[in-house]
Amino acid sequence: MNKLSQWTKNFKERLNGWSKKKKIAYGAIIIGILAALIYLGISLNTTKYGVLFSSMDNNDMGAVYNKLKEKKVDCKVEGNSILVPEDQVDSLRVEVLSEVPITNGSQGFELLDKSKFGSTDAEMKINYQRALQGELERTIKSFPEVENARVHLVMPEDSVFVKDSTPATASVTLKLKPYKKLTEDQVKAMVALVSGSVRNLPKENVEINDTNGSLTKDLFNKDNLDMTGAAEKQQALKTEYEKNLENKALNMLEAVYGKDKVKVKVNADLNFDAVEKDSVTYDPKNTVVSEKNVKDTNKDAGNSASGSPVDDAMGNKIAKNPDGSVTTHEEATKNYEISKSQDKTIKAPGAVERLTVSVVLDGALDNATKASVNNTVASAVGYKQNRGDTISVEGIPFDTTAKDNINKDLEQMKNEEAAQKRKKLYTILGIVGGLAVAALAAYLIIRKRREDEEEEEEILPKNIDTVIDDNTPVEDQTKFKPIELDVENEKTHTEKEIKKYATEKPEQVAEVVKSWLAEDER
């Protein structure tokens, strides 16, 4: 106890010798250490939870929850999710899935395992239909956009006559997740899934609905589908082409004027008509020529012998007349082929017929700047004057009110978050500081009381014990020795001081006397 008192006394003397800055620095360090220790204690004692299963059906959730309770696992339920300690998520998920069948609200072919012996054919057919509906529901629910699904099948009676067979029909009702939407390809995939899973079910007999209406309306109208698909593709190509030209112009202008200082819009007129053209070209150098030459001659033969006419392959004829003369007939015909070239051209759709480009810059522009921007954009987008392309360049101050408001809101949100963090930190520091101050105050009060008690024990009782001796009989002193009022010595001086002390502080003297009496009783 004396060592502790001495250490405390030395610490107080040293503390009083420190400067104000040093006291503040050491106080902040002590408070920070205490806050860190408290935070670590709270963090280490708090269990971190992870999601075991989410978006569960009530029946599945109840089964999983009961299984976890059987395993004495610390778990809790939030909405339609079950949470377990974060470090046990993977192992518990494997264990639960191997022991509890997760049906997700739909029962599939496990219904057939519950079939009783002696079931009729009608009961078996109904169970098979229910199982098939459940399996289809499970598969459809696996789509990320689908929250819940119901499948209804109408299975016709089998007939021995092929002409009397009736196709099956199916109706699927979907509940989509908020702000989610199925694409046309996903709807087609669902239709193919249902049609391929049910015997004698054509795609046209599958109806898929959501909260907004039918998703399969006009889905299998081939002409409408082809036209719609072609129009969508053409619009997508047009948008992509315009976006590409806009990016080319923006990349060049933003390098000069800066980001968000330039706006470019391109409108492209594209021709998606497929054109097939046949052309025949004649060579003007080789004209059509047809030539026919006929030559007749008569000669006197003299003593020539007579003979029959001779006809050769070229149409030449030689004949001898009775008078001995010779008649010759020559005929020649020339025909020239006409040279020509025949071309077949198929023009691919998507040709650019006209471009319209609009450029707006932030601020006022002079004519020289407009001309420079015009030339730059013309080179970037492939401007052609003979095609009718136009480029418009204007300088207009941009309205930045919305952007300024957004930045202001973001800044305000950041300030609020920082204020919340500071408030939380100040609260923790205040609590820790209050606890530290309370502990220090309690310690100082206790220490002060102990010092006061030690001083009283060292000063007052010691002086009284020196005057009043318990072992000396009082009666003997008063009996044999007369009172000498005028005598002044050490003893009388001490008595006077004790009386004076008792007169000024009677309560303390009473406490001392009570302590003596208590000691005598012990």
Side-chain angles (χ1 to χ4, degrees):
M1 186 67 182
N2 293 330
K3 291 182 178 180
L4 180 60
S5 301
Q6 185 65 27
W7 181 86
T8 305
K9 185 176 181 180
N10 295 334
F11 178 74
K12 289 174 64 177
E13 292 177 356
R14 185 180 298 176
L15 183 63
N16 293 329
W18 288 352
S19 63
K20 186 177 181 180
K21 293 182 179 179
K22 195 172 183 180
K23 291 179 181 179
I24 294 173
Y26 278 102
I29 292 172
I30 294 172
I31 293 173
I33 293 173
L34 292 175
L37 293 175
I38 294 174
Y39 177 76
L40 288 175
I42 295 174
S43 300
L44 293 176
N45 294 328
T46 303
T47 303
K48 295 183 179 180
Y49 289 89
V51 179
L52 182 65
F53 296 108
S54 62
S55 302
M56 297 186 67
D57 183 76
N58 293 332
N59 297 328
D60 295 339
M61 186 179 296
V64 172
Y65 185 78
N66 292 332
K67 177 60 65 175
L68 293 175
K69 287 300 182 183
E70 291 178 4
K71 294 178 175 291
K72 297 181 179 180
V73 177
D74 182 19
C75 62
K76 61 180 182 179
V77 178
E78 290 186 359
N80 56 357
S81 301
I82 295 181
L83 306 180
V84 296
E86 196 173 27
D87 55 344
Q88 302 179 19
V89 171
D90 297 331
S91 58
L92 287 175
R93 186 174 295 161
V94 174
E95 293 179 10
V96 171
L97 288 176
S98 62
E99 298 177 5
V100 179
I102 306 298
T103 62
N104 200 13
S106 303
Q107 293 184 341
F109 285 115
E110 62 268 13
L111 283 173
L112 302 180
D113 299 334
K114 303 177 182 179
S115 299
K116 299 180 180 180
F117 179 75
S119 299
T120 62
D121 292 342
E123 292 176 346
M124 291 297 295
K125 288 181 179 179
I126 292 174
N127 288 335
Y128 174 75
Q129 180 176 342
R130 291 176 58 196
L132 188 57
Q133 291 176 169
E135 293 293 336
L136 290 174
E137 288 175 4
R138 290 180 183 177
T139 307
I140 292 174
K141 288 178 184 178
S142 64
F143 283 77
E145 293 81 6
V146 178
E147 181 177 344
N148 201 354
R150 292 284 292 170
V151 177
H152 300 279
L153 300 176
V154 178
M155 312 289 288
E157 295 292 336
D158 295 333
S159 176
V160 295
F161 301 102
V162 177
K163 66 178 182 178
D164 295 336
S165 62
T166 304
T169 58
S171 176
V172 180
T173 303
L174 304 177
K175 181 182 179 182
L176 302 180
K177 294 180 180 179
Y179 310 107
K180 296 293 184 180
K181 185 178 179 181
L182 292 175
T183 63
E184 186 176 306
D185 292 336
Q186 288 177 318
V187 176
K188 290 181 180 179
M190 290 185 185
V191 172
L193 170 67
V194 177
S195 176
S197 302
V198 182
R199 180 168 58 90
N200 193 17
L201 177 58
K203 295 180 178 180
E204 293 78 8
N205 288 3
V206 178
E207 183 72 19
I208 297 180
N209 304 291
D210 65 355
T211 54
N212 296 323
S214 176
L215 299 177
T216 54
K217 184 179 180 181
D218 299 331
L219 183 65
F220 298 101
N221 188 343
K222 189 175 184 304
D223 295 336
N224 184 35
L225 182 62
D226 292 342
M227 292 176 63
T228 303
E232 291 179 352
K233 291 180 180 178
Q234 291 175 4
Q235 187 64 31
L237 289 174
K238 181 177 182 294
T239 304
E240 183 180 359
Y241 181 75
E242 292 174 349
K243 192 67 177 177
N244 187 23
L245 295 181
E246 290 174 3
N247 290 335
K248 287 182 178 180
L250 276 176
N251 291 337
M252 297 183 67
L253 295 177
E254 285 182 348
V256 179
Y257 296 97
K259 189 174 179 60
D260 296 333
K261 297 292 184 180
V262 183
K263 297 296 180 182
V264 178
K265 187 64 179 177
V266 177
N267 182 28
D269 295 335
L270 303 181
N271 186 1
F272 291 99
D273 296 335
V275 179
E276 182 176 349
K277 182 179 180 181
D278 293 334
S279 61
V280 178
T281 304
Y282 296 97
D283 190 356
K285 295 180 179 179
N286 297 324
T287 58
V288 178
V289 175
S290 179
E291 181 180 355
K292 184 177 181 180
N293 296 324
V294 178
K295 183 180 180 182
D296 295 329
T297 57
N298 293 322
K299 293 182 179 180
D300 293 337
N303 295 325
S304 298
S306 63
S308 59
V310 179
D311 189 3
D312 58 7
M314 298 298 295
N316 299 328
K317 295 181 180 180
I318 301 174
K320 291 184 177 181
N321 297 323
D323 56 358
S325 63
V326 178
T327 302
T328 303
H329 177 77
E330 295 180 0
E331 182 175 347
T333 303
K334 296 180 180 180
N335 294 321
Y336 294 92
E337 291 291 336
I338 302 172
S339 66
K340 65 178 181 178
S341 61
Q342 185 174 359
D343 298 329
K344 184 176 182 180
T345 304
I346 300 177
K347 185 182 294 185
V352 180
E353 292 187 345
R354 187 170 179 267
L355 286 179
T356 303
V357 183
S358 298
V359 181
V360 180
L361 297 173
D362 187 12
L365 300 178
D366 53 14
N367 294 331
T369 305
K370 287 184 178 181
S372 300
V373 173
N374 194 321
N375 296 333
T376 302
V377 174
S379 301
V381 301
Y383 171 82
K384 292 183 179 180
Q385 185 177 1
N386 56 357
R387 193 171 53 190
D389 298 349
T390 59
I391 298 176
S392 174
V393 179
E394 298 294 339
I396 303 174
F398 288 177
D399 183 10
T400 59
T401 304
K403 185 177 179 180
D404 294 340
N405 291 334
I406 292 173
N407 293 332
K408 185 178 179 181
D409 294 339
L410 292 175
E411 187 67 23
Q412 186 176 0
M413 291 172 61
K414 291 181 180 179
N415 294 334
E416 291 178 356
E417 291 178 358
Q420 291 292 336
K421 291 181 180 179
R422 288 195 300 269
K423 184 178 180 181
K424 187 175 181 181
L425 179 61
Y426 292 157
T427 303
I428 295 174
L429 293 178
I431 294 173
V432 174
L435 294 175
V437 170
L440 183 60
Y443 171 75
L444 294 176
I445 292 172
I446 295 172
R447 179 57 189 163
K448 182 65 176 175
R449 289 181 179 178
R450 289 179 179 176
E451 290 179 353
D452 294 340
E453 292 176 358
E454 290 176 358
E455 291 178 357
E456 291 176 359
E457 291 177 357
E458 291 177 356
I459 298 173
L460 182 60
K462 182 177 180 181
N463 293 334
I464 295 176
D465 289 340
T466 58
V467 177
I468 302 172
D469 190 5
D470 294 338
N471 296 326
T472 304
V474 179
E475 295 180 355
D476 296 341
Q477 295 178 359
T478 58
K479 183 177 180 180
F480 297 102
K481 294 182 180 180
I483 299 174
E484 299 178 355
L485 299 175
D486 298 330
V487 178
E488 184 71 18
N489 54 22
E490 183 179 357
K491 187 175 181 179
T492 58
H493 178 71
T494 303
E495 289 177 356
K496 290 180 180 180
E497 291 295 325
I498 292 173
K499 291 178 180 180
K500 183 179 179 182
Y501 185 84
T503 304
E504 294 177 355
K505 298 181 179 180
E507 295 179 358
Q508 294 184 2
V509 174
E511 292 293 331
V512 173
V513 174
K514 289 180 181 179
S515 65
W516 291 346
L517 294 174
E519 291 179 358
D520 292 337
E521 290 177 0
R522 289 198 296 271

